[in-house]
Amino acid sequence: MINVVKTWEQLEGLQPTVLKMFKNSFLKNRVAHAYLLEGIRGTGKREIALLITKALFCDSPIEGYKPCENCSNCRRINSGNHPDVHIVEPDGASIKVNQIRELQAEFSKKGVESARKIYLLVHADKMSGSAANSLLKFLEEPNSQTVAFLLTEQPQQLLPTILSRCQILSFQPLSPQAMIQHLTENGVNPMKAPLLAQLTNSLDEAYQLNGDDWFAQAQKIVLKLYEVLKKNPLEAMVTLQGDWFSHFKEKEQINRGLDLLLLIIKDLLYIQLDKQEQMVFKAEIERLKPFALQTSGRRLSEQMSAILEAKRKLAANMNPQLMMEELVLNLQEGSSFV
Ligand SMILES: [Zn+2]
């Protein structure tokens, strides 16, 4: 994970609609008492909640709404020890009623340094029933200076009575372009970012994959399998039994392997179409080029269909061993005629 504090502009690149709305409410001085930030993992919910928290506490916000990042309020929020900012996360599997009660007790006191107090409820959908009822009372009697940010990936799990008291902000999944830009700005190798952006639209997952040894090894094995398939079809079964099955064990892992294989074939199509800039295995261009030149676009489309079919069979719980053997045969079939 990265701990770099992102600027308003960087986060605006991720969620332009959400930040435009906050900008307007700051400038019109109409900040709500409770916001629900909903969207899949890695869309910037927590970072944006903290950005807005800083903007609300900042001693000298830039242009009236962007946190300066330099005053003592901004700095203490960045380091996680501002006395009037509270972050509540699930304690184990759920957010428990006593966590909400502690929060209420805290908020019934005066702010340590100002009247303003802000809390973030991370994974708000994980509140126990009694925690949710307790929070509801809290939301029904808002203190004028209190702002709540409820963060969730599963808004449908929240009580409608809670939802109705929040201003709901939907966080959009990131476009591959926005992902690539964000990843490379934060130190991910530009040769690797396009692949990550194809596999996930969650930044968290992309960073995690980027540092994952299993994933690095997975790419090598998938490339090797494809190479062996083309060079020496008999060896493909050996590679499958050896390298492949010792690395791709769980269903989820096998699925990831099939996605990588699919992306290799897409890259070959891009090479054939002279659109190398669209490739995701950018570092492997010299290795993939000869394959692209040896095969036809029609054959590549057939191979893509075979992989998609294998993914469907995997999802339908076909035995992975049989599914992969069948796939390798299908990928080879006809390869001597192209
Ligand atoms: Zn500041």
Side-chain angles (χ1 to χ4, degrees):
M1 270 310 290
I2 37 142
N3 290 310
V4 184
V5 171
K6 299 206 183 69
T7 63
W8 184 287
E9 284 75 14
Q10 283 172 323
L11 290 168
E12 197 170 28
L14 299 185
Q15 298 295 343
T17 316
V18 170
L19 283 194
K20 194 172 174 199
M21 192 286 305
F22 275 119
K23 177 185 169 181
N24 287 335
S25 27
F26 279 124
L27 296 179
K28 291 178 185 156
N29 207 3
R30 287 193 353 214
V31 177
H33 290 302
Y35 293 97
L36 182 87
L37 277 48
E38 67 92 6
I40 61 164
R41 189 177 152 215
T43 42
K45 297 186 291 295
R46 189 182 181 123
E47 286 163 307
I48 287 178
L50 286 171
L51 180 81
I52 301 309
T53 300
K54 279 183 282 185
L56 287 166
F57 276 108
C58 184
D59 295 334
S60 47
I62 301 162
E63 296 167 42
Y65 64 95
K66 296 181 212 170
C68 75
E69 305 291 350
N70 277 318
C71 70
S72 119
N73 280 322
C74 283
R75 280 189 282 122
R76 282 183 299 169
I77 293 168
N78 281 337
S79 60
N81 50 30
H82 192 289
D84 295 321
V85 176
H86 297 266
I87 300 181
V88 179
E89 297 188 72
D91 175 12
S94 63
I95 296 176
K96 308 207 161 54
V97 67
N98 64 325
Q99 291 179 276
I100 303 294
R101 287 198 185 125
E102 277 166 28
L103 194 65
Q104 281 170 306
E106 187 60 46
F107 275 69
S108 64
K109 298 177 206 157
K110 258 205 155 102
V112 175
E113 295 183 14
S114 67
R116 193 178 281 295
K117 277 171 173 279
I118 292 181
Y119 63 98
L120 270 67
L121 218 55
V122 184
H123 295 297
D125 51 280
K126 298 218 160 73
M127 277 186 289
S128 69
S130 41
N133 282 319
S134 192
L135 181 80
L136 188 57
K137 287 190 205 110
F138 199 19
L139 289 173
E140 279 167 348
E141 304 151 5
N143 174 302
S144 62
Q145 296 285 354
T146 297
V147 181
F149 292 100
L150 277 55
L151 279 54
T152 180
E153 293 165 23
Q154 319 256 358
Q156 73 284 2
Q157 305 274 357
L158 282 157
L159 293 177
T161 39
I162 288 183
L163 294 178
S164 70
R165 286 187 166 74
C166 297
Q167 182 165 344
I168 298 176
L169 300 171
S170 294
F171 280 53
Q172 300 307 311
L174 307 188
S175 70
Q177 267 334 97
M179 287 271 297
I180 292 170
Q181 192 187 344
H182 199 85
L183 291 169
T184 50
E185 277 171 5
N186 287 284
V188 173
N189 182 336
M191 300 291 263
K192 293 182 176 172
L195 174 63
L196 300 171
Q198 274 306 313
L199 289 173
T200 174
N201 47 23
S202 154
L203 279 176
D204 286 355
E205 194 182 6
Y207 285 114
Q208 184 228 321
L209 282 175
N210 187 48
D212 183 24
D213 291 338
W214 181 90
F215 180 65
Q217 189 61 21
Q219 292 173 59
K220 288 185 188 150
I221 294 171
V222 175
L223 279 159
K224 181 180 170 189
L225 179 67
Y226 193 79
E227 211 162 39
V228 172
L229 268 172
K230 304 299 286 182
K231 279 185 178 162
N232 181 350
L234 294 174
E235 254 184 65
M237 282 295 172
V238 179
T239 303
L240 188 62
Q241 302 306 333
D243 296 334
W244 179 281
F245 280 117
S246 58
H247 196 69
F248 299 94
K249 293 178 183 136
E250 307 298 323
K251 191 167 165 180
E252 201 179 311
Q253 296 178 326
I254 299 170
N255 203 36
R256 179 72 85 199
L258 292 174
D259 285 338
L260 289 170
L261 198 54
L262 198 59
L263 289 172
I264 291 176
I265 296 177
K266 272 195 181 172
D267 272 5
L268 297 177
L269 273 170
Y270 285 131
I271 296 174
Q272 287 189 344
L273 297 169
D274 205 16
K275 290 189 172 168
Q276 280 91 331
E277 71 284 355
Q278 307 253 34
M279 289 178 65
V280 295
F281 287 97
K282 289 191 185 296
E284 304 293 341
I285 182 161
E286 291 311 318
R287 194 170 160 193
L288 293 176
K289 243 182 196 166
F291 296 125
L293 301 175
Q294 281 160 20
T295 192
S296 66
R298 185 184 54 81
R299 183 66 196 134
L300 291 174
S301 309
E302 285 168 7
Q303 292 185 325
M304 285 171 69
S305 308
I307 297 168
L308 291 170
E309 183 59 25
K311 281 169 65 77
R312 273 191 290 274
K313 286 177 176 166
L314 183 68
N317 289 322
M318 181 175 174
N319 176 307
Q321 179 92 24
L322 292 178
M323 180 278 289
M324 280 306 296
E325 286 173 5
E326 191 181 282
L327 176 63
V328 163
L329 290 174
N330 281 335
L331 293 177
Q332 287 175 343
E333 198 180 26
S335 55
S336 53
F337 303 111
V338 295

